[in-house]
Amino acid sequence: MNKIKVKDEVILIAGKDKGSIGTVTKITNNKVVVEGLNIAKKHVKPNPNAGVTGGIIDTEMPVAISNVAIYNAKTKKADRVGLRSDKEGNKERFFKSNGDSIV
């Protein structure tokens, strides 16, 4: 079970957008794409067959998963994630600082 999942609210702990909060949109191997963060300009070649106009566009680039931490809204800080089993044997994620489960 991964500690960071899609639609989790995370905070960047390193990089040019350090301290910014966003939502995870995609996870690849050891990298995450966070909505609205780590924006880079890409030069796109026009492709009339695909209906793509050329120019410079802003895209969200992946960030290393080690550079993000899950955001705890109660404490308003970055937090670590733990895994535990409930009484029925289902795994759940929880915040290490206060023990609340992550929804």
Side-chain angles (χ1 to χ4, degrees), residues 5-100:
K5 294 184 172 184
V6 176
K7 297 183 183 173
D8 277 348
E9 196 170 19
V10 295
I11 185 168
L12 262 66
I13 57 175
K16 66 178 184 178
D17 292 328
K18 181 178 179 177
S20 301
I21 300 168
T23 306
V24 175
T25 57
K26 184 179 178 184
I27 298 177
T28 59
N29 51 350
N30 297 329
K31 291 192 183 268
V32 293
V33 176
V34 183
E35 183 179 0
L37 300 180
N38 199 24
I39 303 293
K41 297 206 178 276
K42 293 203 81 137
H43 296 264
V44 178
K45 203 172 190 180
N47 186 352
N49 294 334
V52 176
T53 59
I56 301 170
I57 59 169
D58 293 335
T59 59
E60 298 161 346
M61 298 301 289
V63 180
I65 202 162
S66 62
N67 292 339
V68 298
I70 198 150
Y71 181 72
N72 191 343
K74 248 185 204 178
T75 60
K76 300 200 183 341
K77 292 182 183 177
D79 210 341
R80 292 182 299 150
V81 177
L83 298 173
R84 65 180 172 205
S85 302
D86 59 1
K87 293 174 183 168
E88 293 87 33
N90 299 325
K91 287 184 181 178
E92 67 175 358
R93 300 179 301 151
F94 68 97
F95 293 117
K96 288 266 191 154
S97 64
N98 55 5
D100 292 344

